[in-house]
């Protein structure tokens, strides 16, 4: 699907960030007005420019219906989606916890000790539950 097709569906132009930053398409709900650190990692000048739609997370539009991005090509201005698994109950709560941890980890620099503790915990879980 082309970006212009999406604009036709929306009845409005996409913000300029849509054709320059992958995080525009991938960021999920903003917690208390905080944006993902991935904007800065992608080179967005957060120190100088305010986002066009600071309260908008376009990814919520398809995630809530169980779709995921299959491919995203900013140069060609095309995106495709695939039906994903809609997680409910325990799996959904676990996914939300993982996303919460991911946001926390991306939002700050961790101490060497914290990184080692996380690595140890994950290695222990992988071994205990034979996930590796």
């Amino acid at each position: 699907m082309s970006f212009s097709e999406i604009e036709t569906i929306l009845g409005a132009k996409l913000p300029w960030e849509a054709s320059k930053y992958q995080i525009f398409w991938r960021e999920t709900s903003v917690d208390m007005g905080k944006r993902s650190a991935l904007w800065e990692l992608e080179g967005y000048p957060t120190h100088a420019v305010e986002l066009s739609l600071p309260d908008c997370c376009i990814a919520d539009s398809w995630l809530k219906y169980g779709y995921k991005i299959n491919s995203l090509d900013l140069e060609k201005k095309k995106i495709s989606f695939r039906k994903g698994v809609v997680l409910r109950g325990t799996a959904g709560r676990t996914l939300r916890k993982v996303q919460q941890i991911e946001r926390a980890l991306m939002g700050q620099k961790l101490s060497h000790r914290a990184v080692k503790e996380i690595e140890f915990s994950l290695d222990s879980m992988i071994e205990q539950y034979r996930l590796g």
Side-chain angles (χ1 to χ4, degrees):
M1 174 179 275
S2 71
F3 291 5
S4 61
E5 289 173 306
I6 293 173
E7 290 174 335
T8 300
I9 292 168
L10 294 173
K13 288 268 186 204
L14 288 166
W16 67 272
E17 294 96 338
S19 59
K20 291 194 149 298
Y21 299 97
Q22 287 203 22
I23 188 62
F24 172 84
W25 298 96
R26 298 184 186 282
E27 182 164 57
T28 56
S29 296
V30 177
D31 287 334
M32 296 179 288
K34 293 181 183 174
R35 281 289 179 187
S36 166
L38 294 175
W39 281 97
E40 287 184 42
L41 290 175
E42 267 198 77
Y44 189 88
T46 55
H47 64 284
V49 180
E50 182 68 33
L51 290 169
S52 298
L53 300 170
D55 298 326
C56 174
C57 292
I58 197 167
D60 291 343
S61 302
W62 53 81
L63 289 173
K64 69 181 175 184
Y65 293 105
Y67 285 88
K68 295 180 178 190
I69 293 175
N70 186 49
S71 66
L72 173 62
D73 189 326
L74 296 178
E75 271 187 41
K76 293 180 181 176
K77 297 185 178 190
K78 290 188 176 269
I79 188 168
S80 67
F81 302 94
R82 64 181 166 79
K83 189 74 169 163
V85 176
V86 178
L87 298 175
R88 292 187 169 82
T90 304
R93 285 190 300 278
T94 302
L95 177 61
R96 285 190 294 280
K97 280 290 183 192
V98 168
Q99 290 169 335
Q100 180 183 5
I101 291 167
E102 180 183 52
R103 284 192 300 272
L105 293 176
M106 294 305 297
Q108 61 187 314
K109 185 172 172 78
L110 297 174
S111 69
H112 179 71
R113 180 177 176 203
V115 170
K116 289 297 177 193
E117 286 181 28
I118 292 168
E119 286 176 352
F120 177 79
S121 295
L122 292 174
D123 287 344
S124 297
M125 287 172 52
I126 289 168
E127 185 177 322
Q128 180 180 357
Y129 298 105
R130 296 182 181 99
L131 301 174

